[in-house]
Amino acid sequence: MPVVENVESSQETEVKIGNQVKKVVKFESLPVLKIELRKNNTRIQLCNSHEKKIITFTAGMAGFKNAKRGTNIAGQACGEMMAKRARSRGYSYVRCILQGMGALRADVLKGVEQGGLRIVSLTDNTMFIPDGNRPKKRRRL
C-alpha cells in the first residue's frame, strides 16, 4: 500500500503490518496524473483527488519547439521533469490517466517512472468512435 507524505491528515489511516505501523492513504485520495497525448504535443497535469490542478507541464516548457515537441525524446523529457517537480512538492505515488493516441505513450510513462514517481494505477481514457467520422458528401457532376 502506498505511503504518501503530502496528504491531509484526515485521509491517512494507520495499518499494522507485522511489527511495523505505517500511514496508508486510500486509493481515492491519491493525486491524479493526467497525460494528454496529441500529434504535435504532450501535456501532463498533476491534479489532487478533487480534480484541482496542482502542476501543469508540456513538452514546449521542457525546451522543445515546433515539430520536435511530438517526438519520443520530448515526451520522455517532459515526463521526467514533471515527476521531478511533483517529487519536490512531496508527491511520490500517483494514479495515471492516459488520453489520446500516439507513439509517446510508453515513453512518457518511462520518463515519469525515471523521474521518481510511482504509478499505482493506469487508466486509458481515450475517446474512440467505432465507425469513425461521417464521410464527405458525394460530389455530383
Side-chain angles (χ1 to χ4, degrees):
M1 291 189 176
V3 180
V4 179
E5 301 87 21
N6 195 1
V7 177
E8 298 174 16
S9 60
S10 62
Q11 297 173 346
E12 292 182 358
T13 56
E14 291 186 358
V15 175
K16 188 173 183 181
I17 302 172
N19 295 334
Q20 298 177 346
V21 177
K22 293 191 174 187
K23 291 183 180 179
V24 180
V25 178
K26 290 184 179 179
F27 179 78
E28 293 83 24
S29 61
L30 284 174
V32 179
L33 192 69
K34 293 183 177 181
I35 302 173
E36 292 181 28
L37 303 165
R38 301 286 177 244
K39 184 180 175 185
N40 295 324
N41 204 358
T42 303
R43 179 184 299 145
I44 305 176
Q45 296 175 345
L46 183 69
C47 304
N48 64 5
S49 57
H50 303 296
E51 300 295 323
K52 183 180 175 191
K53 293 178 190 170
I54 301 169
I55 307 169
T56 302
F57 205 77
T58 63
M61 294 168 69
F64 294 92
K65 300 294 178 194
N66 301 330
K68 294 177 185 173
R69 291 182 303 183
T71 61
N72 298 351
I73 298 167
Q76 186 171 348
C78 185
E80 276 185 47
M81 291 181 163
M82 179 64 175
K84 288 177 184 176
R85 278 192 182 184
R87 290 287 297 169
S88 68
R89 292 206 183 181
Y91 295 100
S92 54
Y93 290 89
V94 293
R95 295 182 284 163
C96 189
I97 297 176
L98 282 172
Q99 184 177 10
M101 300 294 284
L104 306 175
R105 294 169 83 102
D107 295 311
V108 171
L109 293 174
K110 187 195 301 185
V112 169
E113 295 238 331
Q114 285 178 353
L117 281 182
R118 298 275 181 108
I119 297 173
V120 175
S121 76
L122 188 61
T123 307
D124 189 7
N125 199 15
T126 305
M127 293 285 294
F128 177 71
I129 302 169
D131 295 333
N133 296 340
R134 183 176 176 174
K136 277 183 139 182
K137 192 165 123 180
R138 194 170 173 189
R139 187 176 173 207
R140 286 185 242 161
L141 295 175

